[in-house]
Amino acid sequence: MLKNIWVEAMFATTGGVDLTEIRYSNYHVELSFYETSAFIVPVNSTPYYVKLNQDLYLQAEILHTDSGLTLFVDTCIASPNADDFITLTYDLIRNGCPKDDTYITYNSPFPQKARFGFKSFTFLEKHAFVYLQCKMVVCKAFDFSSRCYKQCMERTKRDTSTYEEKLDIVLGPIELLKEEGKEDRNLAVVDVQGPYEYNKVYQPIAASIGVFIVVVVVFGAFQLKKRNKGTIEGASCL
């Protein structure tokens, strides 16, 4: 598969993730999946089993006592290898510009939290596991000259803000949820259809043979009756 080229881009949810919490400078940034867009119940199981076309919800949060910080999702890409986000990847968002049609940013009530989501992608059909690497930017809240407030920038420029930090967070693994009992259901269908197909083919043949036998019996009886009649008439003449 060519780099950054997919026929379809979607995501799916149902299980859990092995969260990688990064300590950067004197604060933590945590990235987690959530069950719904309400961002109340986080996904805690691992791996995170997902279904295709299912909506995924993520929240990044700065864990620090300083409420004057804000968080921005600059880049987020997917890869089947947790140690390689260059060889075979898929872009969800890069330099603040969404690359996936299903990527969406959700409003957050706090500047320390960044919320976004997207749908499952067909990458999960080709690879057993998928990992996400997201580049987060931490800035001073309400510093509109900082990267956090410039949103999409295809070409990044040097920021003039007084405070800004960048860090990468790896999230995963994410695994496609397979339908249980699918093969058994297929076998059951075959078993049910087997006798039907057999009868469908051989019933007409059996009916034809039955009709043929009846015709032979009737014809034989007719010939026997005719022969007996000729014998009786010959005897009468004598």
Side-chain angles (χ1 to χ4, degrees):
M1 183 170 57
L2 297 177
K3 178 182 178 182
N4 293 337
I5 296 179
W6 285 4
V7 176
E8 185 179 7
M10 293 183 193
F11 237 50
T13 67
T14 301
V17 241
D18 183 12
L19 302 180
T20 301
E21 187 178 287
I22 305 296
R23 182 175 179 83
Y24 193 89
S25 185
N26 61 341
Y27 55 82
H28 288 73
V29 173
E30 186 178 79
L31 179 63
S32 305
F33 279 102
Y34 279 77
E35 294 290 348
T36 68
S37 58
F39 296 96
I40 297 176
V41 182
V43 175
N44 296 316
S45 58
T46 180
Y48 186 20
Y49 291 99
V50 303
K51 296 182 293 184
L52 292 178
N53 301 326
Q54 184 176 342
D55 292 317
L56 297 181
Y57 309 97
L58 296 96
Q59 175 178 276
E61 180 180 5
I62 303 173
L63 303 180
H64 195 274
T65 56
D66 185 359
S67 60
L69 299 177
T70 189
L71 193 62
F72 175 69
V73 182
D74 180 85
T75 299
C76 196
I77 59 179
S79 170
N81 190 338
D83 299 318
D84 183 3
F85 287 90
I86 297 176
T87 305
L88 183 60
T89 64
Y90 175 73
D91 288 356
L92 293 167
I93 182 172
R94 184 174 288 276
N95 297 326
C97 305
K99 300 298 181 181
D100 181 88
D101 292 337
T102 67
Y103 184 92
I104 183 173
T105 299
Y106 294 94
N107 293 327
S108 173
F110 306 102
Q112 299 88 356
K113 296 181 180 181
R115 295 173 174 177
F116 60 100
F118 47 89
K119 288 184 178 290
S120 64
F121 43 80
T122 55
F123 196 81
L124 290 170
E125 292 183 322
K126 302 178 183 298
H127 301 275
F129 298 97
V130 171
Y131 297 85
L132 296 180
Q133 183 189 66
C134 295
K135 182 181 296 294
M136 314 301 298
V137 181
V138 180
C139 311
K140 282 291 186 179
F142 309 110
D143 180 0
F144 298 103
S145 64
S146 69
R147 177 70 188 91
C148 295
Y149 291 93
K150 293 181 180 179
Q151 303 302 318
C152 177
M153 294 180 62
E154 292 292 352
R155 295 183 179 180
T156 59
K157 300 179 180 179
R158 178 174 296 179
D159 295 311
T160 59
S161 59
T162 57
Y163 179 86
E164 179 180 307
E165 298 287 355
K166 296 180 181 180
L167 64 152
D168 293 335
I169 300 178
V170 176
L171 184 66
I174 305 167
E175 184 176 353
L176 179 65
L177 179 65
K178 298 179 181 179
E179 295 183 17
E180 298 180 359
K182 185 176 182 180
E183 295 182 358
D184 295 336
R185 289 197 300 271
N186 290 338
L187 291 175
V189 171
V190 171
D191 292 338
V192 171
Q193 291 181 348
Y196 172 77
E197 296 295 334
Y198 178 88
N199 293 334
K200 184 177 179 180
V201 174
Y202 290 102
Q203 280 183 354
I205 298 177
S208 300
I209 294 175
V211 172
F212 177 76
I213 292 174
V214 172
V215 171
V216 171
V217 171
V218 172
F219 180 77
F222 175 77
Q223 293 289 22
L224 180 60
K225 181 177 180 181
K226 183 177 181 181
R227 186 180 299 110
N228 291 339
K229 182 177 180 181
T231 303
I232 293 174
E233 290 178 352
S236 299
C237 294
L238 294 175

